[in-house]
Amino acid sequence: MKIAVYGTGGVGGYFGGRLARAGEDVTFIARGAHLEAIRANGLRVGSVHGDFTVEAKATDTPADVGPVDAVLVTVKAWQVPEIAPAIGTLVGPDTCVVPLQNGVEAAPQLVEALGPENVVGGLCRVVALIEGPGHIRHNGGDDYVGLAELDNHPSERVERVRATLEVAGLKAETPPDIHAALWAKFLFICAWGGVGAVTRSPVGITRSMPLTRAMLEGAMTETCNVARARGITLPDTAVATGMAAIDRQPEGGEASMQRDIQDGRPSELESQNGAVVRLGREVGVPTPTHDFIYGSLLLQELRVRS
C-alpha cells in the first residue's frame, strides 16, 4: 500500500515506522534537521516493544510524492488548516485522508480544503515523541487507530487501510460511530492535558490529589455535556471510562499539549480546552473548568506564538 505520513512527529513517526517495517511503501513528509537525519540514516524508533530502524523515503515537498492510497495526517491540530491545501497533491480518486489529531475539528477543516470525497474520520491512542532528529521514542499507549467514513457507512477503502495497519501489528478498528469515538477521546485528552498543563504535574499526581482529580472529572463532564448538546451520542459511562483511562496511564505520564506548554512551544490549547469553551458557547453549555484552564494558559500561548 502506498502511504504518505504528513508530519513525522511522535504519532506519524511511530505509526509510519511500523508500516514501513511491515513492508508498506511509506513516504514521510518532514522538514529541517529531522528530515535530513531520516534521509541520511533512516528513521530510528526506540519502542517499549523493541527498537528498530527503517530506511525511509522522506521529503518536504508533498507534490513530489504524487497520489497515494492513504494519507495519515499527523501534524499538530493547529497546523491542519495550514497544510491542508498541500495534501491535495497526494490525493487520487480513492485516497483515504485520515486525520489523527487530538480534537474534533481536523476532519471538517480537511473537508473544507479538499472536499468531502476523500476525508474520513480518525483517531489514535499512543504515547510517542521526537527524541531527536530522525529518532522517535515510543513510550506505550494502546498503539490504536480508529477510522471510519464520516457518515459511518462501510467502505472498501477504510477496510483496506484498517487491515494494513493491523498487519503492521497495530490495533485498528472501525468504530460504529466515528464522531462518538472522537468525542470520547476528546473528553479524555482535554482533561489530562489541560489539568496537567495548569498544575505542571504528571498524571500520577493529578489523579491522586482529590482537588485535581475533581478537576479532571469536571472537565470530562463538561466536554460530555457539550458533545450531547451538539448531537453526539455518548454513553452514560463516558466520563467513568475516561477516568479509568486516566488511571491506566503511567505515573509519570504527560499529555503532548502539557509537554509543549511546559517546554515553551506552540500547543494545541485552542484545539483542545479552547475548543470546548468555544463549542460550548455555541450551544449554550457552561464549561467553567475549561474556562479556567484556557484562561490560565492563554497568555503564555499568545506570547509563544508572537
Side-chain angles (χ1 to χ4, degrees), residues 186-257:
F186 189 45
L187 72 83
F188 159 77
I189 199 66
C190 288
W192 181 15
V195 174
V198 295
T199 61
R200 299 298 202 263
S201 298
V203 69
I205 294 175
T206 57
R207 71 188 177 204
S208 65
M209 298 286 290
L211 286 173
T212 47
R213 187 174 184 88
M215 284 181 67
L216 289 165
E217 189 166 0
M220 290 188 190
T221 300
E222 290 169 13
T223 307
C224 190
N225 292 341
V226 173
R228 288 174 176 154
R230 298 184 72 87
I232 305 299
T233 305
L234 289 179
D236 293 339
T237 56
V239 172
T241 300
M243 290 301 295
I246 288 285
D247 290 333
R248 288 197 303 271
Q249 301 309 310
E251 210 165 292
E254 296 176 338
S256 59
M257 187 189 84

Side-chain angles (χ1 to χ4, degrees), residues 28-302:
F28 293 94
I29 313 298
R31 61 186 180 183
H34 197 42
L35 171 62
E36 296 310 315
I38 295 169
R39 283 173 165 168
N41 304 307
L43 180 70
R44 185 158 55 108
V45 179
S47 171
V48 295
H49 302 315
D51 301 348
F52 63 91
T53 300
V54 291
E55 292 185 7
K57 294 186 288 186
T59 182
D60 58 1
T61 309
D64 292 346
V65 181
V68 297
D69 298 309
V71 184
L72 303 185
V73 185
T74 51
V75 298
K76 295 289 188 180
W78 55 271
Q79 296 172 309
V80 171
E82 174 188 335
I83 61 94
I87 294 174
T89 64
L90 301 166
V91 173
D94 297 315
T95 302
C96 251
V97 179
V98 188
L100 295 178
Q101 285 67 34
N102 295 319
V104 293
E105 298 176 297
Q109 289 167 345
L110 289 170
V111 167
E112 185 176 349
L114 303 172
E117 296 82 12
N118 298 98
V119 180
V120 304
L123 68 148
C124 67
R125 295 194 291 266
V126 68
V127 181
L129 65 154
I130 297 177
E131 186 88 341
H135 185 194
I136 302 299
R137 169 59 58 188
H138 168 239
N139 293 324
D142 295 336
D143 291 4
Y144 168 89
V145 176
L147 70 159
E149 298 287 352
L150 290 171
D151 63 0
N152 292 311
H153 80 271
S155 77
E156 291 184 9
R157 65 181 183 179
V158 164
E159 175 55 24
R160 186 181 177 196
V161 177
R162 189 208 62 76
T164 300
L165 291 162
E166 196 169 71
V167 167
L170 302 165
K171 298 173 187 175
E173 70 171 7
T174 301
D177 183 341
I178 188 63
H179 301 285
L182 282 164
W183 276 86
K185 181 192 173 180
F186 189 45
L187 72 83
F188 159 77
I189 199 66
C190 288
W192 181 15
V195 174
V198 295
T199 61
R200 299 298 202 263
S201 298
V203 69
I205 294 175
T206 57
R207 71 188 177 204
S208 65
M209 298 286 290
L211 286 173
T212 47
R213 187 174 184 88
M215 284 181 67
L216 289 165
E217 189 166 0
M220 290 188 190
T221 300
E222 290 169 13
T223 307
C224 190
N225 292 341
V226 173
R228 288 174 176 154
R230 298 184 72 87
I232 305 299
T233 305
L234 289 179
D236 293 339
T237 56
V239 172
T241 300
M243 290 301 295
I246 288 285
D247 290 333
R248 288 197 303 271
Q249 301 309 310
E251 210 165 292
E254 296 176 338
S256 59
M257 187 189 84
Q258 174 183 354
R259 290 196 303 268
D260 287 338
I261 289 172
Q262 289 173 170
D263 293 342
R265 295 191 297 261
S267 79
E268 293 183 332
L269 178 65
E270 286 290 345
S271 305
Q272 293 191 36
N273 307 95
V276 178
V277 171
R278 175 168 35 81
L279 296 172
R281 285 176 180 167
E282 288 177 3
V283 290
V285 173
T287 56
T289 307
H290 288 284
D291 291 351
F292 168 74
I293 293 170
Y294 180 61
S296 298
L297 299 172
L298 181 58
L299 290 179
Q300 177 183 323
E301 186 73 19
L302 294 174

